[in-house]
Amino acid sequence: MRTLLYFSLKDAATARLAQVRCGDLAGTPARVKGPWFVQRDNQPVEGFPATDIGQTTYREEAALAGIFVGAVVGALVILRYGVSVGAGATAVAYVGAVMLGAIIGWWAGGLVGVRIGRLGLWRQNAQTTPGQFLMIASCDSKSKEALKQVINELGGVGVDEHRDVMPNFRWV
C-alpha cells in the first residue's frame, strides 16, 4: 500500500533540502515518489514540482464510490424500464447498463470529489504564512517512518497522512 504524507515546511531552503533528501531515499528500496510542493490557496511553488489535484482532494475516493452508485443506478433503470425479449437480450441490456452507469458514475464522482479538499490540509493551508509550503510525498507504507524522520530533522512538521485505497488507481 502507498501512503501520502503531508508536511509543512518553513521556507524554500528547507524545501530544497527536503527534495534532495527525498531523492536520496528514492534510490533505496523505500520507493519514495515526489516530493511535490504547494503553497497557500493550492498555488504551485515556483521552481518545485507541483501537486496533482488528486493528492489534495477526495477525487479518487469519490470516483470509486461513483462507480458503484452508477452501476446500481444502471441496473435499476433496466429493471424498471427494460422490456424482456429474451434471456440473452436482457442479460446484454443489464451488462451494458451497468457498465455505462459505472462509467458515468466514475466521471460524476470525480467531478464532485475534486471540489472536496482534504480537511486536515485545508485547515493547515489556511494557517500557513507567506513563504511556508506544504510538501506531499508518496512512499511505501513500510518506509513512511524513515521519511517522517528525515523531514522532521529538517524542521518540517507532519500535517496529515493518507493511505491509498487502490494504490494504482490514478486519473490519467
Side-chain angles (χ1 to χ4, degrees):
M1 278 244 168
R2 303 291 299 171
T3 302
L4 287 174
L5 299 173
Y6 303 91
F7 300 97
S8 176
L9 302 175
K10 55 189 168 194
D11 59 8
T14 306
R16 293 209 189 284
L17 282 173
Q19 190 175 22
V20 170
R21 286 279 196 75
C22 288
D24 293 343
L25 278 177
T28 66
R31 295 186 179 94
V32 175
K33 291 185 182 176
W36 303 279
F37 298 89
V38 67
Q39 53 187 336
R40 194 176 189 127
D41 298 328
N42 288 331
Q43 297 298 315
V45 180
E46 189 173 327
F48 291 104
T51 61
D52 177 54
I53 196 74
Q55 296 168 337
T56 57
T57 63
Y58 286 105
R59 180 178 63 183
E60 277 83 17
E61 290 85 350
L64 187 61
I67 289 172
F68 297 112
V69 170
V72 169
V73 168
L76 290 175
V77 165
I78 291 298
L79 179 67
R80 173 68 175 101
Y81 298 107
V83 177
S84 180
V85 178
T90 302
V92 169
Y94 271 107
V95 169
V98 166
M99 288 177 61
L100 182 63
I103 290 170
I104 292 171
W106 171 76
W107 176 74
L111 287 178
V112 169
V114 79
R115 305 223 186 286
I116 304 170
R118 296 196 183 278
L119 185 59
L121 291 182
W122 178 78
R123 190 177 309 124
Q124 183 65 32
N125 207 356
Q127 295 174 357
T128 58
T129 60
Q132 283 186 326
F133 306 120
L134 288 178
M135 182 185 96
I136 301 168
S138 173
C139 67
D140 197 356
S141 60
K142 298 173 196 163
S143 60
K144 72 179 180 182
E145 293 304 322
L147 182 61
K148 284 181 181 180
Q149 182 180 358
V150 165
I151 301 303
N152 287 336
E153 287 173 0
L154 295 173
V157 178
V159 176
D160 198 7
E161 169 178 326
H162 173 69
R163 290 179 52 202
D164 278 342
V165 176
M166 296 180 68
N168 296 320
F169 185 70
R170 289 281 176 247
W171 290 57
V172 180

